[in-house]
Amino acid sequence: MRDRGVVADVVPTPELLDRMLAQKPRCWPWAAYASVLFQHWAALEERKVIQVLGEPVGPPTGWLESGAEVAAFVAHQVRAVDAIVMEAGAFLRSPLFLAVFGAPDDESTADAAGIVRAGRRLSGYYARLLEAAEECRRQAVADDDAPLLADCIRFVNQPLQDFNGYLNDVLERLEHQQKRAVAGRRPLTLPPLPLPVTTDDGVIWSILDRLQVVD
């Protein structure tokens, strides 16, 4: 029988996560999910900071010689990033994702393996976004084309921030559940957490305007 005084929290290692899943203290489903996200996010944090702050990512791996090549590259990256964000958002709304947490008032119905898979899948979307963002910064272009590539980098960086906002939302939900558990109150049925999507109209219009005048 589990200790009713213990409340699960985020753990930093897979070994501690395995222990949590074996013991299943109160609030374990969302604590486990948050732990999977946290562990994967932490492994990528240095790369994300380098990307967002614009620090060097190494020598260029590609050279886009003409304005047309830059335009094609930017259009491809924008579409690719949009597709990843849409796929991630759809996954978070899907019955497959929602089902792994079980009934809000009965944690015994949650699927431990499913929660881990869900966290890994969402982390995979985050990793793909980071790779796409890094690919933009590895391109060398002529000075005249640099503003368009800079706009592209700004565009692809925003979803990275949005994904981190989602992690904060997950942590807030876990904290909410922990407080209710400690107070001896039943968990509430809460709506699914959506993936925040920030739209920078200025960046989008700047990209579109520059694409219109590419030679």
Side-chain angles (χ1 to χ4, degrees):
M1 181 179 297
R2 64 180 179 178
D3 185 349
R4 300 299 298 177
V6 175
V7 176
D9 204 351
V10 177
V11 294
T13 67
E15 293 76 17
L16 290 174
L17 176 59
D18 288 342
R19 184 184 304 175
M20 180 201 303
L21 296 178
Q23 297 175 347
K24 292 184 171 59
R26 289 180 297 169
C27 303
W28 73 266
W30 278 89
Y33 179 59
S35 296
V36 175
L37 297 183
F38 173 80
Q39 291 170 23
H40 284 80
W41 259 246
L44 299 173
E45 181 63 14
E46 182 178 0
R47 286 170 55 193
K48 192 269 289 186
V49 170
I50 290 173
Q51 171 65 29
V52 172
L53 294 183
E55 297 179 9
V57 293
T61 59
W63 167 248
L64 303 174
E65 296 185 2
S66 67
E69 288 183 349
V70 176
F73 175 83
V74 168
H76 172 78
Q77 293 299 101
V78 168
R79 287 194 297 267
V81 167
D82 275 343
I84 294 171
V85 171
M86 291 179 62
E87 187 177 345
F91 171 63
L92 292 176
R93 297 188 300 270
S94 69
L96 176 67
F97 173 80
L98 300 176
V100 300
F101 293 95
D105 59 349
D106 185 1
E107 292 179 346
S108 68
T109 62
D111 177 2
I115 288 171
V116 172
R117 286 195 300 270
R120 289 175 177 170
R121 179 167 172 177
L122 191 69
S123 298
Y125 293 127
Y126 181 67
R128 287 166 57 192
L129 282 173
L130 180 56
E131 290 168 2
E134 290 173 333
E135 182 65 16
C136 292
R137 294 193 53 234
R138 292 194 183 102
Q139 303 304 310
V141 299
D143 290 345
D144 289 346
D145 298 316
L148 176 55
L149 185 62
D151 280 345
C152 180
I153 292 170
R154 290 172 60 196
F155 178 86
V156 300
N157 280 351
Q158 184 57 58
L160 295 174
Q161 305 289 58
D162 290 340
F163 266 67
N164 279 275
Y166 174 78
L167 176 57
N168 289 334
D169 291 342
V170 170
L171 294 174
E172 288 181 5
R173 174 154 297 186
L174 172 60
E175 182 181 11
H176 170 82
Q177 292 185 336
Q178 290 169 329
K179 289 179 178 178
R180 292 188 68 87
V182 170
R185 303 171 67 185
R186 295 176 64 84
L188 297 175
T189 300
L190 299 172
L193 286 176
L195 178 66
V197 178
T198 302
T199 302
D200 189 330
D201 291 336
V203 172
I204 293 174
W205 280 110
S206 181
I207 290 174
L208 292 174
D209 288 343
R210 295 184 194 281
L211 289 175
Q212 292 294 323
V213 298
V214 169
D215 293 332

